[in-house]
Amino acid sequence: MNVVIIGCGVVGAAIAYELSQVKGLKITVCDRQAPAQASTGAALGVLMGVISQKIKGKAWQMRQTSIQRYETLIPELEALTGRKIPFNRQGILMLLSDSSLEEMSAWEKLVEIRHSQGWNLEIWDTAKLENICPQVDFYDGLRLREKVTGAVYSPQDRQIDPTALTLALVEAAQQNGVTFKFGVTVLDAPTSTPEFCNQLETTEGKIAADWFVIAAGLGSTPLTAKLNQIIDIRPVLGQALQMRVGHRLGNPDFQPAITGNDVHIVPVGDGDYWVGATVEFPSKGDEIPPNQELLESIREQAIAFCPELATATILRTWSGLRPRPEGRPAPVIGKLPGFSNVLLATGHYRNGVLLAPATAYAIREMIISQGAGG
């Protein structure tokens, strides 16, 4: 059975690797650029699963599945490829500021729910936070922000390097026989019979398959338009910085990803930190020029939390567009309406890296349970 995956960001690569372990599938992945170039290359890889407010239904189930799968997936990929995938197992620390009592009781409730689900979540007061993470500043003389009043620590959440992960998934899938075609653009998707797409016309000629999986992020909208079923996905820009402090902040042996006020401070090796990310919507059309002031405000917020970042050197800044589905929840996973053999795995917005393993499982189930084309 032939399966063609369009898109080789973290989601497309995860699907390719997952399907490569199913006997009897011949898999081809096409992308118009090299792997991990679009939103994957811009992501910070902060996997907010246990600490997320999602507690039931598909939204929580997918997070839980992914967080569990990452624990086995990373050693598996490293063994197969010999690559080192930076994977921070020291958890996520969310700083709380002058939050109302209501917010505190919501966190206490979440701690209870997670315990009942078999997960650990801790609420720290300022004394504990100061003792364990001395790099965090509680008082802000400049009033750039509210005072930090405590934190929620999630020891089982993770942070991963999205590009290293994607390249390892590609290499492992290749070892399992998957064919990757980069620099290939889909030109058309003619349908000979209603409800069934049997081939794509590309810049490399025709590609036939029993199943097509659209995992092309923002590229999914023009692709679905060729099949007369537009899935409307809009861009949301994110900008980030890599900063060099030269030494590890706080306790060198405890370096969790720190987040607060929607700003992440992510340790990425000796004395380097990623800081981000902005959330920037298009003002007119789909054009979003990166807003320098927003990036600066993210840097200032990070410095307010960890004052030592004030002296850090900025090594690089980068940005990328995240795929956000219009008028419906993210992500979009399932059959393309009107087609029995075209699957969607797209529109993950800010959770592509987090939800990639669970998305790959979902697509695998759809293909296996349906057999050839339904």
Side-chain angles (χ1 to χ4, degrees):
M1 205 159 68
N2 283 317
V3 180
V4 169
I5 300 163
I6 304 141
C8 194
V10 67
V11 172
I15 294 168
Y17 176 64
E18 187 61 45
L19 292 180
S20 75
Q21 297 169 79
V22 179
K23 285 194 168 53
L25 294 185
K26 184 170 180 294
I27 302 150
T28 306
V29 181
C30 304
D31 199 313
R32 56 174 188 235
Q33 47 194 359
Q37 293 296 303
S39 48
T40 299
L44 298 181
V46 180
L47 310 178
M48 299 177 81
V50 181
I51 208 167
S52 80
Q53 299 291 338
K54 309 289 184 191
I55 53 172
K56 56 181 194 293
K58 201 167 151 188
W60 161 244
Q61 217 43 60
M62 286 190 74
R63 278 170 170 77
Q64 176 167 255
T65 298
S66 285
I67 291 285
Q68 286 167 335
R69 175 62 175 133
Y70 269 120
E71 294 306 305
T72 57
L73 180 63
I74 301 308
E76 195 177 297
L77 291 173
E78 289 185 333
L80 271 169
T81 64
R83 286 171 177 266
K84 185 86 194 84
I85 303 166
F87 187 50
N88 186 341
R89 292 181 170 83
Q90 297 193 315
I92 294 175
L93 184 73
M94 184 180 284
L95 303 177
L96 305 176
S97 40
D98 296 336
S99 39
S100 62
L101 288 169
E102 284 165 34
E103 202 177 312
M104 207 56 207
S105 69
W107 281 113
E108 283 163 359
K109 198 171 167 190
L110 185 65
V111 169
E112 279 174 33
I113 291 167
R114 289 294 183 244
H115 279 231
S116 73
Q117 294 169 330
W119 295 93
N120 190 14
L121 210 53
E122 304 165 13
I123 294 175
W124 292 1
D125 59 15
T126 48
K128 184 164 187 178
L129 181 56
E130 194 162 21
N131 184 34
I132 299 176
C133 290
Q135 70 267 41
V136 174
D137 185 31
F138 301 100
Y139 306 101
D140 178 30
L142 299 173
R143 299 305 296 155
L144 274 172
R145 57 167 170 81
E146 302 169 271
K147 201 166 73 183
V148 172
T149 53
V152 178
Y153 177 55
S154 179
Q156 292 156 299
D157 280 329
R158 302 285 180 255
Q159 184 274 332
I160 194 161
D161 183 317
T163 301
L165 167 65
T166 305
L167 296 177
L169 285 164
V170 169
E171 194 177 314
Q174 273 172 328
Q175 286 184 22
N176 289 347
V178 175
T179 303
F180 286 85
K181 294 173 181 280
F182 298 115
V184 173
T185 304
V186 176
L187 303 171
D188 201 12
T191 50
S192 51
T193 54
E195 291 203 358
F196 200 78
C197 173
N198 51 8
Q199 64 179 24
L200 296 178
E201 286 177 13
T202 76
T203 45
E204 268 211 353
K206 293 185 166 75
I207 301 178
D210 303 292
W211 288 96
F212 292 94
V213 181
I214 298 175
L218 287 162
S220 305
T221 300
L223 271 171
T224 55
K226 294 181 200 308
L227 293 160
N228 299 317
Q229 292 287 346
I230 295 188
I231 302 296
D232 190 4
I233 295 172
R234 308 276 176 91
V236 178
L237 185 85
Q239 296 186 79
L241 304 142
Q242 182 166 348
M243 301 173 80
R244 174 158 292 167
V245 184
H247 60 267
R248 295 181 181 192
L249 297 173
N251 176 354
D253 298 324
F254 182 62
Q255 294 285 300
I258 293 177
T259 184
N261 207 1
D262 214 16
V263 172
H264 301 315
I265 303 166
V266 178
V268 285
D270 290 334
D272 280 13
Y273 292 83
W274 285 348
V275 172
T278 60
V279 178
E280 303 174 45
F281 292 88
S283 47
K284 50 183 185 292
D286 273 355
E287 288 299 301
I288 320 175
N291 181 330
Q292 200 51 49
E293 285 169 20
L294 275 177
L295 188 61
E296 181 53 27
S297 72
I298 290 268
R299 190 181 80 93
E300 284 172 4
Q301 174 69 86
I303 290 168
F305 287 144
C306 298
E308 278 182 90
L309 289 171
T311 58
T313 323
I314 296 172
L315 295 184
R316 64 179 180 125
T317 64
W318 72 94
S319 67
L321 299 171
R322 309 180 186 96
R324 181 174 180 265
E326 184 64 23
R328 64 193 288 177
V332 182
I333 299 169
K335 281 187 178 169
L336 179 67
F339 286 87
S340 61
N341 72 323
V342 180
L343 301 177
L344 298 164
T346 186
H348 286 73
Y349 190 26
R350 299 174 75 184
N351 288 310
V353 185
L354 170 61
L355 299 178
T359 303
Y361 276 152
I363 295 295
R364 173 181 170 151
E365 281 314 300
M366 286 174 210
I367 288 176
I368 289 175
S369 66
Q370 294 277 312

